[in-house]
Structure formats: C-alpha cells, structure tokens
Amino acid sequence: MALTRKFLRTMGIEDDKIDQIIEAHTETVDGLKDALEKAQSEADKLPDIQKQLETAQADLDAAKKDSYKVKYEAIKEDFDAYKAEQAKKDTRAAKESAYRALLKEAGVSEKRIDAVLKVSDVDSVELDEKGKISDAKERMKSIKEEWADFIETREIQGANTPNPPANTGGATMTREEIFKTDSNGRYVLDANERQKAIAENIELFEKGLT
C-alpha cells in the first residue's frame, strides 16, 4: 500500500506530522533511486572491465611466453656454441692423432714427434671418411724432406739406431729468431733454414722455452 496523506490521516496522524513523514519518505525513496541508478551504472561498466581484464591477462601470458622464449634461445645458443667447440676439439685431436701416426710411419724419432707436431700446421690436414689423411703420400714425402734430421736410420744388421741432430749443449737461437718475419710478413729464414734451426734448437720446442 502506498504511503499517502490520505492513508496517514486514516491513522489519525496530524497534518504537520504527515508533512514530516512524507518528506522523510520522499528523501528515502530518492536515496534508493540514486543508489539503484549508481548500481546500474556500475553494472553497465562490468562488460568493459571484463574485456580490460581479459586483455591484460592475454598480454601477461604473451609476456611470459616471450620471456621463456628468450631464455630458451639463450640456453640453446650456449649449448650450440659448446657443441661446436667440442666438435672443433675432437676434430683437432683426430687430425693430430692421424698426423702423429704419419710422422711415426715416416720414421721420425718418437722422441721428436711432439716437437714436430708443435710446429706443424695440423689444422690444414684433411681426413677422409676412414679418419686417414687424404694426401698422406704427399705429406709423407714432405715430412721426409723437411724432417730428415729426425728420421731414424737402420744399420745393415737391422737394429734401429736413432739419428737425432747433434746437441751442442744449449740453444743457439730463440723461437722468435727462428720464426722471425720481415715487414711483409715473410719468414727471414727459408723453409730449409728454419727446419735446420729447429733441429739444432729442438730443446726449445720440447720444453716450451722461448
């Protein structure tokens, strides 16, 4: 039932009291209307807020994916670099092993093989699918010519007799002098002179002296 003046009079309420009651009632109703309108306004904003939340969540998920991607790529890059370095070391070891075998086959004294390896261009060696040196014959010939002083000779009776270069009691040249280059980057000593100097100062390469 509506709250009207007529209804209030039937209840025996005086007119001045009725005015107060009506006024208070009106303020209450108006307050309720304002609250309802505000609630409706907030409710109307909910879909937009929901969209904003969904967009923010999508951006967050994308950021996480990008972060994981960056971390993954960084780890993969480090792992690939590690594998490449290991492969390089394995290749170097295989070439050195094959070249060591070739030096031994050529008759180079085992006491001198390590020294020869230190000054040889092992990285230029090419291996075939069996792990053998591709141009072994050419390199064998070169080894016998360049390192003739280190080749062990055999006596007629068949006994192995090492024939290393004479050691005069100390190095007469330094490694820098042996491998010295001119202003054009060419060696001052030619190949034969360098090999002879290395043979005469082999202790520099056996002990790593300078």
Side-chain angles (χ1 to χ4, degrees):
M1 181 177 292
L3 185 64
T4 63
R5 292 178 182 277
K6 182 179 180 181
F7 172 74
L8 293 174
R9 287 192 186 98
T10 60
M11 295 178 63
I13 299 175
E14 299 176 357
D15 287 342
D16 57 339
K17 299 295 183 182
I18 290 176
D19 290 338
Q20 293 177 10
I21 293 173
I22 293 298
E23 183 178 350
H25 176 67
T26 301
E27 291 178 357
T28 300
V29 171
D30 290 341
L32 291 173
K33 287 181 179 179
D34 291 340
L36 181 60
E37 290 176 356
K38 184 177 180 180
Q40 184 62 49
S41 177
E42 294 296 331
D44 292 339
K45 294 179 181 179
L46 286 177
D48 184 56
I49 294 175
Q50 181 64 33
K51 289 181 180 179
Q52 293 179 26
L53 289 174
E54 292 174 353
T55 300
Q57 184 63 49
D59 291 342
L60 180 60
D61 292 341
K64 289 181 179 178
K65 290 180 181 179
D66 289 342
S67 177
Y68 288 133
K69 182 179 180 182
V70 169
K71 291 180 181 179
Y72 168 78
E73 290 178 348
I75 294 173
K76 185 177 184 299
E77 183 178 348
D78 289 343
F79 181 63
D80 289 344
Y82 170 78
K83 287 197 301 182
E85 183 64 24
Q86 287 300 116
K88 183 178 179 181
K89 289 180 180 179
D90 291 344
T91 299
R92 167 73 187 194
K95 289 183 177 183
E96 186 172 307
S97 177
Y99 199 74
R100 179 185 293 274
L102 190 64
L103 290 171
K104 187 174 181 180
E105 184 179 346
V108 175
S109 170
E110 290 192 22
K111 296 180 180 180
R112 308 299 186 187
I113 287 179
D114 286 335
V116 173
L117 281 171
K118 289 181 180 179
V119 295
S120 298
D121 185 14
V122 177
D123 290 326
S124 68
V125 172
E126 295 293 336
L127 302 179
D128 59 23
E129 63 277 3
K130 295 181 179 180
K132 303 294 183 180
I133 296 178
S134 300
D135 56 346
K137 291 183 179 180
E138 291 78 5
R139 288 185 181 272
M140 176 76 76
K141 180 180 178 182
S142 177
I143 289 171
K144 289 182 177 181
E145 291 176 352
E146 294 181 5
W147 303 103
D149 291 337
F150 293 167
I151 303 294
E152 293 181 336
T153 58
R154 293 177 178 271
E155 298 293 345
I156 295 176
Q157 64 268 29
N160 291 332
T161 305
N163 185 27
N167 188 337
T168 58
T172 59
M173 296 181 69
T174 65
R175 292 174 64 170
E176 287 76 9
E177 290 173 334
I178 294 172
F179 295 105
K180 184 178 181 181
T181 58
D182 58 23
S183 58
N184 295 319
R186 294 190 294 266
Y187 287 114
V188 174
L189 301 178
D190 63 25
N192 291 331
E193 291 173 332
R194 289 200 308 277
Q195 299 303 330
K196 184 174 182 296
I198 292 172
E200 292 174 349
N201 300 276
I202 190 61
E203 62 269 25
L204 296 179
F205 303 94
E206 292 177 329
K207 299 178 182 180
L209 301 177
T210 55

